[in-house]
Amino acid sequence: MNHSRVICLGEILFDCLADEPNQSWGEVKSWTAHPGGAPANVACALVKLGTSAGFIGAVGSDEGGDRLLGFLQLVGVDTTGIQRHPSAPTRRVYVLRSGTGEREFAGFGNLNTIDFADTYLQAEAIPESLFVNADFLVLGTLELAYQQTRHAITHALRLADRYNLKILVDINWRPNFWPDPEAAKPLIMDLLKQVDFVKLSESESIWLFDTTDPGTINYRLNSVEGVLVTKGDRGCSYCLGDHEGYFPGFSVPVQDTTGAGDGFVAGFIHQVLQLGIPSLHNPETARAIVTYASAVGALVTTELGAIAAQPTAAQVEEFLKQQP
């Protein structure tokens, strides 16, 4: 089997989207479950773009776990790193939708955040072989919320350092996943000292750095090669190499914004692997990479679910050709 160029570590789950938009939790009559979880979304999007990817995470030994495992295999993601917990269930997240596709977290049903299988990822069971020939490790920050998965991240970082992988972190701040949200900020800031690329939303950049300026964030971290601050339908500001820039984004008919940032991350990494890390020091090439990533993110929003609308490379190229 060909090695995966990108390893994505973290949560895989079901996003249960409200079938009726603009309804409260008590008013929603039905929900539709879509495969999701930010690192899993990135892995799927990369494979669809043509970059091989593997996923490391934990699911339950239940029907939901079987479905997610089968789904990743159908897409073509390497599932060697997936662990199965004997009793904890596969996570389900309930999500309300507005008429414009914006999301609102509505809880985990009748369970607490610590009750799910993804909180039990074991460091010692992570296959070192996945890292030997890989180029990138992609992390979120939700796994820092739980002691066992925190150790798994530490172990993965050691392996990434041993085999010279670049590391990208998407902050993906979701306070409801944290048993103690107050513990999050110092843990996240410590993680950022160990990575090469950081992707944040506007609200996350203000929360962590009191600014949305990627150059300022890059200066404060003083150890990363790139900072990307996404602004939803208003585009992305970035600091890559020695220069800063802004891309205004694309206008598309939005159905659901779930997974748009994950598509952006996949598009960015796919292009960096195509063009090489040194290309980020060229202002025109860096802007083209961010443009491509923005196109992937925009296309993801055109259908319900984080993965359903993820485009192929050919679809991204066609979309970009159609732009003014």
Side-chain angles (χ1 to χ4, degrees), residues 6 20 27 56 60 62 66 75 91 104 110-111 115 176 182 196 214 216 229 264 282 285 287 289 299 309:
V6 183
E20 305 91 9
E27 295 172 327
I56 296 173
D62 51 15
D66 292 340
V75 172
R91 189 183 293 269
E104 180 185 346
N110 296 322
L111 298 176
D115 295 335
N176 306 81
E182 294 298 319
D196 302 289
T216 301
V229 179
F264 178 94
N282 180 293
T285 305
R287 181 177 174 83
I289 289 173
L299 288 169

Side-chain angles (χ1 to χ4, degrees), residues 165-243:
L165 277 66
K166 295 293 184 181
I167 303 167
L168 182 147
V169 166
D170 182 355
I171 299 301
N172 197 31
W173 170 236
R174 302 287 184 269
N176 306 81
F177 279 75
W178 288 73
D180 179 13
E182 294 298 319
K185 193 170 182 178
L187 290 171
I188 292 172
M189 293 302 293
D190 184 63
L191 174 63
L192 294 184
K193 298 174 184 175
Q194 307 173 68
V195 309
D196 302 289
F197 297 94
V198 182
K199 182 261 182 190
L200 318 89
S201 68
E202 276 189 301
S203 60
E204 290 164 349
S205 61
I206 291 172
W207 174 56
L208 289 172
F209 297 100
D210 295 317
T211 180
T212 62
D213 180 66
T216 301
I217 296 170
N218 184 79
Y219 175 79
R220 290 181 186 172
L221 289 173
N222 195 32
S223 59
V224 299
E225 299 179 46
V227 175
L228 303 148
V229 179
T230 54
K231 303 178 179 183
D233 60 2
R234 293 181 292 106
C236 172
S237 296
Y238 58 91
C239 180
L240 297 168
D242 302 320
H243 53 271

Side-chain angles (χ1 to χ4, degrees), residues 2-76:
N2 293 331
H3 71 269
S4 296
R5 297 196 69 184
V6 183
I7 306 301
C8 303
L9 185 153
E11 71 279 3
I12 185 170
L13 47 80
F14 285 106
D15 286 314
C16 300
L17 301 184
D19 290 329
E20 305 91 9
N22 297 318
Q23 301 292 313
S24 67
W25 168 262
E27 295 172 327
V28 175
K29 296 181 176 62
S30 62
W31 310 79
T32 298
H34 299 269
N41 295 340
V42 174
C44 289
L46 282 164
V47 170
K48 292 184 179 185
L49 290 171
T51 293
S52 57
F55 178 75
I56 296 173
V59 296
S61 298
D62 51 15
E63 184 267 343
D66 292 340
R67 284 176 58 193
L68 291 176
L69 184 62
F71 179 82
L72 289 182
Q73 291 170 342
L74 184 64
V75 172

